[in-house]
Every structure is written in structure tokens, then in C-alpha cells.
Amino acid sequence: MMYLAPRQGLFAIIVLVSFCLQTLLLVISTDQQLTKSRAQKGEQMVAQLIDEARLSLENKDRVSLSVIANRYTIEQDVARILIKDNNNDVLVPVGNAPMQQGATIRQIATKGDAVIGSVSLTLKDISKGEIIAMQWPFVIGSLFLHLLLWLLYGYIARPTKEQINALSHDIQDLHREHSRQEGQRTQDRQSAGTSMMDNEHSRVDDGRNQAGSQTTANDNNKATVSTTTIHSELNAYLKEQQTHGGLTDSNIVDSVTNTVDDDTNRTAASGEKDQIPGTDSVAYGFRSNPSKLSATRAFDSVNVHIVFHDEYNMLERLAPEMRMPYLALCTQLLDQALVELLKQPLLLGVSAINEPHFNEKGAYAELKADNSHAKVALAGVMLGKLYLMLNKIIHDKHIELSRFALPVKAGVSDSAQADAMTQLLESVGKKEQMLILLPNSGLKQIGNHVQVQSLKRPTTVYERECAVFDGGNDAMIQRLADVRNAVLMTESEDG
């Protein structure tokens, strides 16, 4: 017969803890090394970026700074680059920091003794999973080594035949000693119990003889008293009923029966009332009304609403000779953004139905899907985000030159909910924010590319169904940045 090593399960737990601690120490040491090397590399990149962008930073050329910074975001370790001027105003934000955060390296750019701006570079966090994937040969080897140690312990620490025989003899001797002591205790208890029973019997017999006479006398006295009392009370009750004319037994039974019948009738009537259909449900409003929104509705086109965030109605008060050129600039910017965006291979099969034009209320672009594979919902979201990025740059440049400009907010919806989106932008829309009101199929299209969040404390059914754009993945942000640069280059050439 094969015997296992003693406490082999406990040794397995110890081996497992040892493997986990060894892997943890490996991850911590590798993390420290990678963090140090990435920090050095980040400082070198920041210094090199300042050297390349010093002239553009001095002139506050956002387009050139954006092109220069985009070359550094291609690096795998870079999450975000932020370039600011000497007034600490943001000139160019590049990257996708909301999706990935890490250590930030900031360095001031100078020309001579004058400070012309600053550059902040955010490095991506080092994933523990990536470290384990990099060190997988060591992890697998350590696992096999600990498993081998457990197997060797189970083989080497098994008891030998001599140890098993000696242990069996000791167990037999201990069992015989235990049986002998148990038999001695049993005999002692039996002898003691016999003597106690004899004494108890004698005491019980004596007490029983003494108590018998007393009990008989007491019982006779109690029986005499109780019989006399019962007869006197019964005679008094009969005389009272004959004098005052009390109820007979039949009257009492009829009264009780009528009371029970009345309660039964009331209970049945209330039960029938509860079972009448359409009474309580109508009174308390339990009839459900179908929702005005259908999350499974079909769609083949989307509307992209661009609205000015004009809290003080400044656009209406602006002189026509200043308002019309500004609206024409916004229209040209939106048209060029639409043209450049639809050139993307990702949006193949999506086309524009109308030519968007800006007026005092804003503009809207309508996109349609030419086939079932076209991602028209994604195109609408990308167009809205692209124009928000472009308008941010134009708005900051106009404010810097002391010229009129307004921030905007965007909304993306299907054609069935265009009016609802207009109301949402007026009621809950915020500056430089994009709202999304699409059915489930539209949300599925954009789910792999962007992140959304629900509105806080919704008060209407549309607000509950509405979502807010909360960031995109690296590929989409990079694609939008390329299209933004292409639009700005085209605008610069036209200008």
C-alpha cells in the first residue's frame, strides 16, 4: 500500500505562496527598471521636442506645433503631449490622456533668458500583465521548479516500512491500554450505581408511606368544599335567569350564527370588489403606457447638430458686416471637415445628403448609409468630435487676436430623434460637449471606438436615453488628429 508524505497538502500551500512571492518580486523589480528607463527616455524626448518646436512656440503656430507633437505620440510609451505658451495657455493638446494616464514630465522652453512656453509629456502606465508577458519564460520555469519540489517532497518524505511497522505497534499498545482503563472505569461505575439505587429505594418507600395518609385526608376535605360551592353557585344563576329573563341556549346559538354570517358576507363582498377587473388598476394608474423611444428602431441616416454656445445672445447683437463673415468661416470649416472625413477608409459607404450652412441657430449635417455595412453612426460621432476640435483652435486664435468667436456644442442623433436632440442641446448641452441619441444598433457601431456616459440626474425620457461622449481609443483620436491637420492645412493654403 502506497502512503503519502506527511502534511503534503500544507507543503503544497507553502510552495504556492513561494511561487507567488517570487513572481511578485520579479514584477516589482522589472517595473522599477522600466520606470527608470522610460523616465530617462521621456526627458530626452521633451528636450528634443523643445529644440524642434522653439521657433513655432515663439510664434504660437498651433498647426506646426501639432504636426511636430504628433510625431512623438507615435512612440509606444507616450500617452499625451501638452504644449503651453508663456501665459500657461494650452496651445496644442495631443494624445489620449483620459484613456491612459501615467507619469508626467514637464520642462520649460526658453529662448535666451526669456520663457516662451512649456512642454508636458505624459507617459503610459506600465501594465503588470505586459511585464509578466515579457518574462513568461522565467515565470513558467519557476512554476515547473516549484511543482518539481512538491513532487520530490511527496516521494522522499514518504514513511518507510520500518516506520510504518513501529507506528502500528505503538497504536496497538495504546489501544490495549485504553481498553483496559475503560473496562476498569465501567466496573467502578456499576458498583457505585448499585449501592445508590438500594439507598434510594429505601428512602422512597418510607416517604411514600408517610405521605399517603396525609394526602387521603386532604383530598376528602377538598372534595366536600368544592361540591358545596358548585351547587350554591348553580342555584344562584338559575334564580337570576328566572327573575330577569335571560337568553336561552337556542337564542345564544342563533345570535352567534347571525354574527358569523354577517362577517362572512362582508368578507365575500370585499373579495368580489377586489376581483372586479379594471377598478383599482385604473384608480392608481397601473396601466402602462408604451415608451415614446424604441431602442430597437431601424435607421440608415444620422443628423449632426452644431449649435453655438451663446449664453448672452452676442451673435444676434453683432453687426451684420461682422456676423456674416464669421458664419461663412464656420460653414467653410464644417464643409472641409466633412469632405476630409468621408475620405477615410473606415467610413466607406457613408455620404452626405445636404450641404451644411451656419446661421444664428447653428448648422446640421445629414449623413446616410449607402449599404448595410456602412458605419453611419460612427461617421456622425467622428464629424461632431472633429468640428469640436477645429472650433476649439479657431476660437482660441480669435480670442487671442481680440476678434469675435463663440464656442460650440454638438449632438448626434438619427432622423427620428432630430427634434429631441435640438431640445436636449438647448436644455442640458454644455460648452464643447457632444450628446448622442441613437438606437442600440447605432451604439453598437460606436461601442468599439468611443466611450460614453449617461447624463446625471435625468428628468425626461430623452435625457435618460441620451449619452455623452467621454473619449475615444488611440486609433480614432489619431485619425481625427490627422483629419484636423489636413483641414487646417487646407484652410491655410486657401487663406
Side-chain angles (χ1 to χ4, degrees):
M1 182 177 180
M2 184 68 66
Y3 291 92
L4 297 177
R7 299 185 178 181
Q8 191 168 0
L10 179 61
F11 186 76
I13 296 175
I14 296 174
V15 169
L16 180 62
V17 171
S18 173
F19 170 73
C20 294
L21 290 176
Q22 188 174 8
T23 306
L24 179 62
L25 293 175
L26 171 68
V27 171
I28 292 175
S29 61
T30 307
D31 189 8
Q32 292 179 351
Q33 295 176 0
L34 291 178
T35 302
K36 185 176 180 181
S37 63
R38 286 189 179 188
Q40 295 176 355
K41 182 179 178 182
E43 292 177 356
Q44 295 176 359
M45 292 174 63
V46 171
Q48 184 177 355
L49 176 59
I50 291 176
D51 292 338
E52 293 182 7
R54 182 172 282 109
L55 180 59
S56 300
L57 185 59
E58 183 179 4
N59 298 329
K60 296 182 179 181
D61 187 358
R62 297 173 184 268
V63 177
S64 300
L65 290 174
S66 177
V67 173
I68 293 172
N70 279 326
R71 293 203 300 266
Y72 289 87
T73 57
I74 300 176
E75 293 291 335
Q76 185 178 3
D77 299 336
V78 177
R80 180 182 175 88
I81 296 177
L82 194 66
I83 301 176
K84 298 181 180 180
D85 59 6
N86 54 354
N87 296 325
N88 205 26
D89 294 330
V90 178
L91 295 177
V92 175
V94 180
N96 189 23
M99 301 292 290
Q100 291 180 341
Q101 289 282 1
T104 300
I105 301 173
R106 186 176 182 272
Q107 188 171 344
I108 298 175
T110 60
K111 184 177 182 182
D113 295 335
V115 177
I116 60 176
S118 64
V119 176
S120 299
L121 185 142
T122 302
L123 299 174
K124 295 180 180 178
D125 283 334
I126 302 174
S127 173
K128 304 301 183 294
E130 293 179 359
I131 295 176
I132 295 177
M134 291 168 52
Q135 302 291 340
W136 69 266
F138 179 83
V139 176
I140 297 298
S142 177
L143 178 62
F144 278 110
L145 177 61
H146 284 80
L147 183 61
L148 181 62
L149 288 175
W150 181 72
L151 294 176
L152 288 176
Y153 171 79
Y155 178 77
I156 295 175
R158 286 181 303 174
T160 60
K161 291 183 178 179
E162 292 78 6
Q163 292 175 341
I164 294 173
N165 293 331
L167 183 62
S168 63
H169 289 310
D170 292 340
I171 293 174
Q172 290 177 0
D173 294 340
L174 182 62
H175 181 68
R176 284 194 296 268
E177 181 67 21
H178 181 72
S179 300
R180 186 178 61 80
Q181 293 178 358
E182 188 68 24
Q184 184 66 30
R185 291 196 201 96
T186 303
Q187 292 178 359
D188 295 341
R189 284 197 299 269
Q190 289 178 353
S191 59
T194 303
S195 60
M196 289 176 63
M197 289 177 64
D198 293 339
N199 295 331
E200 186 68 22
H201 281 301
S202 61
R203 287 197 299 270
V204 169
D205 291 339
D206 294 340
R208 189 177 297 169
N209 294 329
Q210 293 176 1
S213 58
Q214 296 179 358
T215 303
T216 303
N218 293 333
D219 289 342
N220 293 331
N221 294 332
K222 289 181 180 179
T224 304
V225 174
S226 61
T227 304
T228 305
T229 303
I230 291 173
H231 281 291
S232 62
E233 291 180 356
L234 180 59
N235 293 329
Y237 173 77
L238 292 176
K239 291 179 179 178
E240 183 180 358
Q241 293 297 324
Q242 292 175 358
T243 304
H244 300 286
L247 292 174
T248 61
D249 293 340
S250 60
N251 296 134
I252 295 174
V253 172
D254 293 339
S255 177
V256 173
T257 304
N258 294 333
T259 303
V260 173
D261 292 339
D262 292 340
D263 293 339
T264 304
N265 293 333
R266 283 195 299 268
T267 304
S270 62
E272 292 174 358
K273 181 179 179 180
D274 293 339
Q275 295 175 358
I276 296 176
T279 55
D280 292 343
S281 60
V282 174
Y284 291 94
F286 289 162
R287 290 185 178 178
S288 59
N289 295 323
S291 177
K292 295 181 180 180
L293 288 175
S294 175
T296 59
R297 62 184 182 275
F299 77 103
D300 58 356
S301 63
V302 297
N303 289 354
V304 182
H305 303 255
I306 309 295
V307 180
F308 292 113
H309 186 74
D310 191 4
E311 296 179 337
Y312 306 104
N313 296 326
M314 298 176 60
L315 191 60
E316 295 181 358
R317 302 171 186 176
L318 194 65
E321 57 270 17
M322 297 180 63
R323 181 172 64 248
M324 299 309 295
Y326 176 69
L327 295 177
L329 174 63
C330 295
T331 300
Q332 183 180 0
L333 200 65
L334 180 58
D335 289 340
Q336 192 63 35
L338 182 59
V339 172
E340 294 293 336
L341 183 65
L342 294 183
K343 293 180 181 179
Q344 297 294 316
L346 180 64
L347 305 180
L348 186 64
V350 179
S351 59
I353 299 178
N354 67 331
E355 295 182 1
H357 294 280
F358 270 90
N359 54 24
E360 290 78 1
K361 297 182 179 181
Y364 81 95
E366 189 172 0
L367 307 177
K368 69 173 182 177
D370 298 331
N371 53 62
S372 58
H373 302 287
K375 299 180 179 180
V376 65
L378 180 61
V381 173
M382 292 180 67
L383 178 60
K385 181 60 178 177
L386 175 61
Y387 191 80
L388 289 177
M389 296 166 64
L390 291 169
N391 189 80
K392 174 66 176 175
I393 297 176
I394 299 299
H395 176 264
D396 293 344
K397 188 65 175 179
H398 277 63
I399 297 301
E400 181 182 348
L401 299 176
S402 299
R403 299 176 60 182
F404 176 79
L406 287 173
V408 296
K409 48 191 176 182
V412 180
S413 67
D414 56 337
S415 300
Q417 302 298 338
D419 295 336
M421 177 53 69
T422 303
Q423 298 175 2
L424 288 173
L425 287 173
E426 293 178 358
S427 59
V428 298
K430 298 181 181 180
K431 180 175 64 175
E432 297 177 0
Q433 188 184 64
M434 180 166 59
L435 305 180
I436 301 172
L437 186 60
L438 294 172
N440 289 341
S441 55
L443 295 177
K444 185 178 181 181
Q445 280 188 21
I446 67 176
N448 295 329
H449 302 276
V450 303
Q451 289 182 345
V452 296
Q453 63 180 1
S454 302
L455 286 174
K456 296 180 180 179
R457 294 183 294 273
T459 58
T460 64
V461 65
Y462 294 110
E463 293 179 9
R464 187 175 65 250
E465 297 294 332
C466 183
V468 181
F469 181 88
D470 193 35
N473 56 19
D474 293 339
M476 196 194 80
I477 297 299
Q478 184 62 42
R479 188 177 288 109
L480 288 176
D482 295 339
V483 177
R484 178 197 60 190
N485 296 335
V487 173
L488 293 177
M489 291 294 186
T490 304
E491 292 294 328
S492 300
E493 293 175 359
D494 293 342

